[in-house]
Amino acid sequence: MKDTTYSPSKDFINVAAACPVTNVADVSFNLKNIKNCIDKALNTEAKLIVFPELSITSYTCGDLFLNSKLYSSSMEALKELCDFSKLKDILIAVGAPLIIKNCMYNCAFIIFDGKVLGVIPKSFVPNYSEFYEKRWFTEGLNITDEIVYLPFQKNVPFGTDLLFYSGIFKFGFEICEDVWVTIPPSSYLALNGANIIGNLSASNEIVSKASYRRNLVNSQSARCMAAYVYSSSGVFESSTDLLFSGHLLISENGAMLKENDRFQRENEVIVSTVDVERLINDRIRNMSFRDGSKTSISKVREIEFEFLSNEAHSFERYIDKHPFVPSNLSERMDRCREIFNIQSSALAKRICHTGLKKSIVGISGGLDSTLALLVILKTYDMLNIDKKNIVTITMPGFGTTDRTYNNAVDLCKKLGTDFREINIVKSSLQHFEDIGHDESIHDVTYENVQARERTQILMDIANKEGGLVIGTGDLSELALGWATYNGDHMSMYSVNCSIPKTLVRYLVRYVAENEVSEDISAILLDILDTPVSPELLPKNSKGEIAQKTEDIVGPYELHDFFLYNFMKGASPEKILFLAEKAFEKDYSKDVIKKWLQMFIKRFFTQQFKRSALPDGPKVGTISLSPRGDLRMPSDASSSSFLI
């Protein structure tokens, strides 16, 4: 039996951003609170802690930076901090001044297990508006390949070219203004391998600056495909002319993992778990990033160190059980609006290109066909084409229930489409007879005969009417291969092909709650409450749906979660670990593992269906198009992926 034990410390790392309480120019007071913050971070098993710019002295010392007492006290504090760090398994980035060859530099001191691993000078020293740092500090932009001697340690690497690594975790650092310039130093560090960037900052507050700062950090983390740990000076800096808020941010590849409430008046540490393996996978997939790495003119000195322990039990990361669906209502509405625009604009292009004004769509009374119909309606509104050119066909069969039938009929009629009904029972029975199949045997042949009969009807009417068959199948069904090959698997244009089932529900609900009349909304809401089913098996004795898809293949919310993480490059063991975290209140580990096994088996065995998909628009980051995001052999083995 395979060992499915998964160690998160192999792929994940806890990182911290800290803002200690400070007194301006009170080095011993500041050091005491820096130590307190480090202890807080250690309690969460953080392996990195980033402090604000010049946090040893405080940022707003002004001309006191030119006083030898402040500088010597700062050096003594750094020595004491090094001693304090011995046997503490955390990389510390702390700010302090450094004088070299009659120049003072605003620096990040990187400390680990009793010594300074390296010192990074601030590349860009601001000297405009409220900033006048050049009065004291020299730019370190072009300093590389330097070695400095500290009062307590010799041969310390000094420069903007330093990268620190332990295993797959590679750290680079920049200071405040560096991230605001046209090409931040972190861009070069990332191209040279840094996947976690720390920024020691002192960014004052003015109206709306926090929002810009947040966007800047997210943007830089996305551009670098890295985690970005940002720590800014707090409210105890001098308020002579400026006010600082202690803004702490941790972002990963454009997504904010953790952010504090600003203006706190006590030591504050925020911690989040970064998925470094995903960052590495994203970089491998992104050819532009790879090409940029080849052309980078900036070289780095790599400084190796080793964390004392690879074990971690604290997992400080929110795992979204529905990664395709924004949890925030406002964001969700914006997402739904955007998706409808993408789908309808894509369909409009195909209609205009072919010159065919008619669309043919099969309507079952289920979610997917309803969404496809709503997309067609929006497209026809956009193109000012009469809705009577939308040919909606319901094709009741052996398993069609009154509920889905009535919803299909009512919806199509109320929307003003060219509605038609074609019962497939007679033709299916004739086909059973033709191929010698016993109609009492409810196997895959029994089911697929009906699915292909429906597709044949749609295709033939499209030829007769001069129109396009619009596909209704969604991304989740494609991932599982839950479609009849050359049945509902096929169409002339597929508008739902990159919409996962969990998102389909919200798109239909969005229309029901925002864009249609009350009577149509009532139909849509009832469709939302109907169990997902292909209705290919006979109804039960009560005339209700007997064939519920999620009873057969498992919950779609699990499969969408599996799909998202699998397409991001996660191993099955890692997916299981993440799913346990996300669904700990919903499913047991055994249940999750059972459906994960099924997902993997079906994903591999059903690739041949995806290899022959019709055209359709990519909507989100995950797509299974054989012409785009997934070029997978149809005969790949799943054996080594099963757990």
Side-chain angles (χ1 to χ4, degrees), residues 625-637:
S625 168
R627 298 166 296 277
D629 291 59
L630 185 64
R631 291 168 175 81
M632 176 178 169
S634 297
D635 43 13
S637 171

Side-chain angles (χ1 to χ4, degrees), residues 9-13 47 89 91 112 117 163-172 192-196 276-277 280 283 302-310:
S9 55
K10 176 173 70 74
D11 301 326
F12 295 94
I13 186 172
K47 297 290 188 180
D89 199 16
L91 188 67
F112 181 76
L117 297 182
L163 190 152
F164 308 84
Y165 74 98
S166 176
I168 69 168
F169 308 117
K170 299 184 177 183
F171 306 89
N192 281 286
N195 44 45
I196 300 173
V276 172
E277 188 216 25
I280 293 171
R283 289 179 173 185
E302 296 187 342
I303 299 172
E304 184 177 11
F305 69 102
E306 187 173 348
F307 286 120
L308 306 180
S309 171
N310 290 325

Side-chain angles (χ1 to χ4, degrees), residues 75-147:
M75 286 294 114
E76 290 168 6
L78 287 167
K79 169 64 168 65
E80 187 176 336
L81 187 58
C82 284
D83 294 338
F84 175 80
S85 72
K86 288 179 180 177
L87 300 180
K88 289 182 170 62
D89 199 16
I90 188 168
L91 188 67
I92 302 165
V94 67
L98 177 65
I99 298 175
I100 300 293
K101 297 178 182 178
N102 302 312
C103 292
M104 181 178 286
Y105 296 94
N106 177 345
C107 294
F109 286 75
I110 312 305
I111 297 171
F112 181 76
D113 192 22
K115 70 175 186 176
V116 177
L117 297 182
V119 182
I120 298 105
K122 188 173 185 176
S123 292
F124 297 91
V125 177
N127 218 63
Y128 57 86
S129 298
E130 63 264 44
F131 299 105
Y132 40 90
E133 285 186 29
K134 287 188 178 181
R135 182 178 175 90
W136 315 291
F137 298 112
T138 301
E139 286 184 348
L141 177 62
N142 297 314
I143 297 177
T144 59
D145 294 317
E146 292 286 337
I147 297 292

Side-chain angles (χ1 to χ4, degrees), residues 320-537:
D320 192 348
K321 65 172 71 172
H322 300 136
F324 292 105
V325 182
S327 56
N328 179 275
L329 178 60
S330 176
E331 289 182 22
R332 192 161 64 238
M333 289 186 68
D334 288 343
R335 180 77 56 87
C336 290
R337 192 179 302 113
E338 182 78 358
I339 289 171
F340 270 115
N341 283 332
I342 293 172
Q343 289 178 286
S344 56
S345 295
L347 179 57
K349 170 61 180 176
R350 185 54 52 99
I351 289 172
C352 293
H353 174 72
T354 60
L356 301 175
K357 288 189 175 181
K358 290 203 173 185
S359 293
I360 290 81
V361 61
I363 302 298
S364 66
L367 277 171
D368 291 342
S369 62
T370 298
L371 177 59
L373 175 56
L374 296 173
V375 171
I376 298 169
L377 285 163
K378 186 174 181 64
T379 304
Y380 277 52
D381 284 342
M382 180 191 304
L383 298 176
N384 293 316
I385 301 176
D386 194 317
K387 294 176 185 176
K388 285 298 180 183
N389 287 290
I390 304 172
V391 181
T392 52
I393 307 172
T394 190
M395 295 165 280
F398 303 112
T400 303
T401 61
D402 292 343
R403 181 180 187 181
T404 54
Y405 171 79
N406 289 330
N407 279 336
V409 173
D410 292 346
L411 181 64
C412 294
K413 288 183 176 180
K414 287 182 182 296
L415 289 173
T417 66
D418 178 359
F419 173 71
R420 307 177 191 183
E421 179 180 338
I422 301 175
N423 193 294
I424 66 165
V425 171
K426 184 177 178 180
S427 56
S428 296
L429 289 172
Q430 179 62 54
H431 195 61
F432 290 154
E433 182 179 339
D434 292 342
I435 67 173
H437 182 76
D438 185 342
E439 66 181 87
S440 66
I441 299 175
H442 300 158
D443 59 4
V444 67
T445 302
Y446 180 90
E447 295 184 38
N448 287 351
V449 160
Q450 298 170 71
R452 291 196 180 99
E453 180 63 26
R454 286 173 171 139
T455 299
Q456 176 177 276
I457 290 169
L458 295 172
M459 292 288 183
D460 291 345
I461 290 180
N463 291 153
K464 182 175 182 292
E465 298 284 347
L468 297 173
V469 174
I470 307 303
T472 62
D474 64 46
L475 181 68
S476 307
E477 292 177 344
L478 293 175
L480 294 168
W482 192 250
T484 299
Y485 192 89
N486 210 32
D488 53 311
H489 155 267
M490 189 47 60
S491 65
M492 296 173 182
Y493 197 73
S494 180
V495 294
N496 293 343
C497 62
S498 65
I499 310 292
K501 188 75 77 175
T502 48
L503 187 54
V504 169
R505 290 187 173 277
Y506 284 98
L507 287 164
V508 174
R509 186 174 296 279
Y510 166 80
V511 175
E513 294 177 349
N514 298 282
E515 296 196 359
V516 293
S517 61
E518 288 187 14
D519 53 345
I520 294 175
S521 177
I523 298 171
L524 295 179
L525 292 174
D526 192 62
I527 290 172
L528 282 164
D529 289 337
T530 304
V532 177
S533 172
E535 292 192 325
L536 295 173
L537 295 180

Side-chain angles (χ1 to χ4, degrees), residues 107-255:
C107 294
F109 286 75
I110 312 305
I111 297 171
F112 181 76
D113 192 22
K115 70 175 186 176
V116 177
L117 297 182
V119 182
I120 298 105
K122 188 173 185 176
S123 292
F124 297 91
V125 177
N127 218 63
Y128 57 86
S129 298
E130 63 264 44
F131 299 105
Y132 40 90
E133 285 186 29
K134 287 188 178 181
R135 182 178 175 90
W136 315 291
F137 298 112
T138 301
E139 286 184 348
L141 177 62
N142 297 314
I143 297 177
T144 59
D145 294 317
E146 292 286 337
I147 297 292
V148 296
Y149 290 80
L150 304 177
F152 55 89
Q153 186 179 329
K154 297 180 179 179
N155 298 318
V156 178
F158 175 61
T160 58
D161 57 340
L162 303 182
L163 190 152
F164 308 84
Y165 74 98
S166 176
I168 69 168
F169 308 117
K170 299 184 177 183
F171 306 89
F173 299 90
E174 60 189 3
I175 301 173
C176 198
E177 181 77 4
D178 293 348
V179 75
W180 299 74
V181 301
T182 307
I183 305 178
S186 54
S187 296
Y188 295 112
L189 292 170
L191 289 172
N192 281 286
N195 44 45
I196 300 173
I197 304 295
N199 186 313
L200 299 77
S201 184
S203 181
N204 64 302
E205 290 302 335
I206 55 176
V207 173
S208 79
K209 189 175 182 180
S211 177
Y212 185 89
R213 186 189 300 122
R214 187 182 301 112
N215 291 336
L216 185 66
V217 167
N218 272 338
S219 176
Q220 185 63 3
S221 75
R223 187 177 292 109
C224 291
M225 292 189 177
Y228 202 98
V229 185
Y230 180 95
S231 176
S232 185
S233 300
V235 296
F236 291 100
E237 290 286 351
S238 172
S239 60
T240 300
D241 290 302
L242 306 175
L243 191 281
F244 299 83
S245 69
H247 204 178
L248 305 178
L249 303 162
I250 302 175
S251 180
E252 179 186 290
N253 201 5

Side-chain angles (χ1 to χ4, degrees), residues 17-21 37 40 246 248 260-261 264 266-270:
C19 183
V21 174
C37 289
K40 275 188 175 184
L248 305 178
N260 72 330
D261 291 325
Q264 298 301 305
E266 57 187 24
N267 290 332
E268 188 172 20
V269 177
I270 64 168

